């Protein structure tokens, strides 16, 4: 038994040339159905405004100013990071544990040491002592984190991400 595809060919071959021409003319005279894909779908219109919204700046209080004094805080833009944040992000990118900070006070000034632990071998931990202190333990930690960042990756353009106080 011939396949259905062959049956169709045999029927077309059995038609006379007159019938084939008449069939072709009839098909050409029929209007072609409009393709559904050619019509663009209407989009919902969005309301256009001239207001550009951005996240508000963050105010961070550092130092021994008590938080509410004048000049005691730093205003961080949305894209800015503090040195401790940058050091922690650097450690996350390198799949290393978080840095550890050890603060001490000498002569009214706070100093900080930073330990970058090695996840596998404690003997391979890296220790940094910042040569400069700060008026508070938090300031000393940020200064030490900045010192560590400059030591471990001096080519990073940190001034682009830091607030003016640290840039």
């Amino acid at each position: 038994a011939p396949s259905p595809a062959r049956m169709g060919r045999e029927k077309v071959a059995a038609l006379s040339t007159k019938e084939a021409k008449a069939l072709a003319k009839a098909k050409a005279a029929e209007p072609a159905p409009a393709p559904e894909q050619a019509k663009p779908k209407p989009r919902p219109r969005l309301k256009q405004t001239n207001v550009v919204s951005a996240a508000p700046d963050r105010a961070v209080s550092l130092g021994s100013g008590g938080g509410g004094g004048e000049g005691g805080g730093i205003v961080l833009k949305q894209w800015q990071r503090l040195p401790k944040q940058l050091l922690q992000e650097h450690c996350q990118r390198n799949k290393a544990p978080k840095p550890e900070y050890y603060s001490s006070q000498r002569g009214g000034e706070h100093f900080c040491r930073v330990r970058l632990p090695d996840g596998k071998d404690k003997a391979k931990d890296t220790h940094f002592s910042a040569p400069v202190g700060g008026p508070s333990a938090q300031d000393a930690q940020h200064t030490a984190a900045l010192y560590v960042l400059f030591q471990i990756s001096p080519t990073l353009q940190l001034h682009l991400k830091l607030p003016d106080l640290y840039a």
Side-chain angles (χ1 to χ4, degrees):
S3 70
R6 282 190 172 171
M7 294 267 301
R9 287 185 207 148
E10 291 171 0
K11 285 183 181 179
V12 172
L15 291 177
S16 68
T17 54
K18 273 188 176 180
E19 291 172 335
K21 286 181 183 179
L23 185 61
K25 241 184 199 181
K27 280 188 179 180
E30 290 179 14
E36 294 288 327
Q37 296 172 353
K39 295 179 186 177
K41 293 182 181 178
R43 290 186 187 171
R45 297 206 92 176
L46 299 176
K47 186 176 180 182
Q48 294 181 355
T49 61
N50 293 333
V51 178
V52 177
S53 64
D57 297 340
R58 299 180 293 164
V60 178
S61 176
L62 294 177
S64 56
E70 70 254 2
I74 301 171
V75 177
L76 285 178
K77 304 288 184 195
Q78 184 181 7
W79 48 269
Q80 289 178 327
R81 301 283 184 265
L82 291 171
K84 283 177 67 174
Q85 290 173 312
L86 288 174
L87 182 58
Q88 185 170 344
E89 289 171 4
H90 176 80
C91 290
Q92 284 177 345
R93 272 193 307 272
N94 294 323
K95 297 180 181 169
K98 291 181 182 178
E100 297 174 3
Y101 299 92
Y102 302 98
S103 298
S104 62
Q105 187 174 3
R106 284 180 260 141
E109 193 171 20
H110 294 266
F111 291 90
C112 185
R113 291 182 303 118
V114 180
R115 180 173 86 101
L116 296 179
D118 185 7
K120 296 178 182 173
D121 188 6
K122 194 169 184 174
K124 293 181 180 178
D125 289 355
T126 312
H127 297 267
F128 297 91
S129 292
V132 183
S136 71
Q138 191 177 17
D139 280 332
Q141 288 177 359
H142 283 295
T143 305
L146 189 60
Y147 176 76
V148 170
L149 283 167
F150 281 124
Q151 294 296 316
I152 62 177
S153 53
T155 58
L156 284 180
Q157 295 185 356
L158 297 172
H159 66 281
L160 298 175
K161 294 182 181 180
L162 291 169
D164 292 336
L165 178 66
Y166 295 106

